Amino acid sequence: MYRIAWIKGDGIGTEISEASLEVIHAIENTYGVSFDIRFYDAGDECLKRRGEALPRETIEGVKTADASIKGPVGDTAMDVIVRLRQMFDLYANIRPVKSYKGVPSVKPVDLVIVRENTEDLYKGYEFEVGDAVVALRIISEKASRRIARVAGEIASRRRGIVTIVHKANVLRKSCGLFLRIAREELSKYNVTVRDILVDAASMALIRNPESFDVILTTNMFGDILSDEAAQVAGSIGLAPSGNIGDEIGLFEPVHGAAPDIAGKGIANPYAMILSISMMLEWLGAKKNDKRLLSASKSIERAVEEAIARGCKTPDIGGSMKTHDVGGCVARIIREGV
Ligand code: ATP
């Protein structure tokens, strides 16, 4: 029995959580594993109701769970996810981006963005100085080194190419340090290392996304490029992510709370379903539990199959409801894909 802390979040968070729970139940039935799922509050609605966006019991829940899954939160993101990342030192933000047969994409994409997750402008050190504001960009050797290692390991299991994305021609010291340390660390892996300026990278992601395998970058560049890459692949509704530290893993869709479509039952749940797949892979490796690894793979295959069968929400060219997409994936898992 694995304990999972589950934060539904704001906006479309409840709908995509309910669809994803169908998938979790199918996994339990099919793979003989059971999950003790505990729901916790966080986000804008939680702030309104309880006066705080990240209650103590939610923090405790994430801390003591075997793994956590989180829906999007709205304006309180800085107080919820950015805080959790820093509090638990979840230094690696892993964002796989992939195009699927049956989803229109700008070009075929299959890459992973490895985003440093604890520093950069996201430290939130902003100060008013007279009529101006100063924001501090923190880039440390320690954080750059450990995220480079994560990129090296992931690339070693893939096509073996790491592209470091930076802006060292302007941000000479901060990006300069990141680039130097990343190169140094990656030289220890059997991978090809390239680097590219962030502006050129954003162009290359549209022109030839297939040239990327693993993108290694700093916090803010990673945030921006992952939305772009997800859209090139088809939809942000398909992009999962993991926030991973040495002990704790928290998985979530890349997208936000999407208030424009909340409550309509048309949100795409695949990003959250694929985040569950990432969670099971991480937990399976951590606990050395092959059932979880098989379950993770079966979710990936079931998502591919479900999309191919036309189980699609409007953002990816279908007309299915959020909940029915969850049911579709669950059925395919039970069929033994
Ligand atoms: P954040 O800053 O937290 O990323 P945001 O409002 O800038 O939030 P998102 O909420 O990620 O950005 O979404 C941008 C748009 O993409 C939404 O308005 C919505 O129309 C669409 N979108 C996001 N997620 C989904 C989803 N799961 N399914 C369908 N459409 C989505």
Side-chain angles (χ1 to χ4, degrees):
M1 173 87 86
Y2 295 108
R3 195 198 296 171
I4 308 295
W6 194 302
I7 300 167
K8 289 186 181 174
D10 296 318
I12 59 174
T14 303
E15 298 153 63
I16 58 172
S17 288
E18 273 154 24
S20 304
L21 282 161
E22 298 270 325
V23 174
I24 284 274
H25 295 140
I27 290 296
E28 289 186 307
N29 299 150
T30 314
Y31 287 88
V33 282
S34 46
F35 300 105
D36 170 13
I37 296 175
R38 310 223 177 147
F39 295 99
Y40 296 97
D41 235 359
D44 298 6
E45 287 303 318
C46 175
L47 174 67
K48 261 191 235 152
R49 256 184 291 112
R50 307 174 49 163
E52 52 183 349
L54 185 64
R56 174 167 285 282
E57 86 243 15
T58 304
I59 297 170
E60 215 33 52
V62 170
K63 190 174 172 184
T64 53
D66 290 302
S68 301
I69 187 110
K70 179 194 147 291
V73 298
D75 293 337
T76 48
M78 190 72 189
D79 304 312
V80 178
I81 186 61
V82 176
R83 220 176 129 210
L84 285 169
R85 286 168 182 162
Q86 291 180 2
M87 187 182 290
F88 294 124
D89 203 19
L90 308 178
Y91 59 87
N93 194 329
I94 313 294
R95 299 185 152 193
V97 181
K98 204 175 130 179
S99 42
Y100 287 85
K101 222 180 262 170
V103 178
S105 65
V106 177
K107 292 238 174 115
V109 186
D110 183 3
L111 57 86
V112 178
I113 295 180
V114 176
R115 164 188 173 194
E116 201 291 322
N117 215 18
T118 57
E119 29 184 58
D120 196 347
L121 290 163
Y122 287 68
K123 278 278 192 202
Y125 296 150
E126 292 190 306
F127 309 95
E128 283 164 15
V129 182
D131 63 354
V133 170
V134 175
L136 296 184
R137 183 171 200 245
I138 312 292
I139 303 288
S140 73
E141 181 175 331
K142 179 184 168 202
S144 305
R145 206 175 280 292
R146 64 186 181 178
I147 197 66
R149 270 189 232 125
V150 174
E153 275 152 30
I154 293 177
S156 308
R157 300 195 296 268
R158 291 176 49 95
R159 299 199 302 278
I161 307 165
V162 179
T163 308
I164 307 165
V165 174
H166 62 92
K167 188 73 181 174
N169 58 340
V170 175
L171 303 170
R172 290 188 184 142
K173 286 201 183 292
S174 57
C175 271
L177 175 74
F178 186 79
L179 180 60
R180 179 171 62 78
I181 297 297
R183 277 204 189 114
E184 211 175 286
E185 207 54 41
L186 287 167
S187 69
K188 300 173 189 164
Y189 294 82
N190 187 20
V191 295
T192 303
V193 180
R194 301 173 181 155
D195 72 274
I196 183 169
L197 295 173
V198 63
D199 39 356
S202 68
M203 198 174 70
L205 267 174
I206 293 170
R207 199 165 62 187
N208 49 349
E210 64 282 359
S211 65
F212 293 102
D213 178 22
V214 172
I215 289 176
L216 166 63
T217 192
T218 46
N219 205 342
M220 178 166 269
F221 296 160
D223 190 9
I224 298 167
L225 291 180
S226 49
D227 274 29
E228 185 194 352
Q231 190 55 50
V232 171
S235 169
I236 193 161
L238 287 170
S241 78
N243 299 276
I244 298 171
D246 288 332
E247 290 303 323
I248 292 179
L250 186 155
F251 299 80
E252 58 174 351
V254 165
H255 61 73
D260 54 329
I261 55 165
K264 296 186 178 158
I266 55 166
N268 188 339
Y270 282 125
M272 196 173 217
I273 293 171
L274 290 165
S275 301
I276 293 173
S277 169
M278 286 182 79
M279 176 180 79
L280 298 183
E281 185 187 12
W282 174 80
L283 193 57
K286 186 167 181 236
K287 303 281 184 185
N288 200 14
D289 187 338
K290 292 205 168 59
R291 295 172 307 170
L292 297 178
L293 297 174
S294 307
S296 163
K297 287 265 170 278
S298 90
I299 295 177
E300 271 179 41
R301 288 193 302 269
V303 167
E304 274 174 26
E305 178 61 23
I307 292 173
R309 288 188 194 177
C311 299
K312 298 192 285 188
T313 42
D315 61 303
I316 51 171
S319 56
M320 219 178 224
K321 292 282 187 183
T322 310
H323 196 261
D324 297 330
V325 169
C328 187
V329 175
R331 210 166 34 250
I332 294 169
I333 290 170
R334 289 198 174 94
E335 283 168 13
V337 68

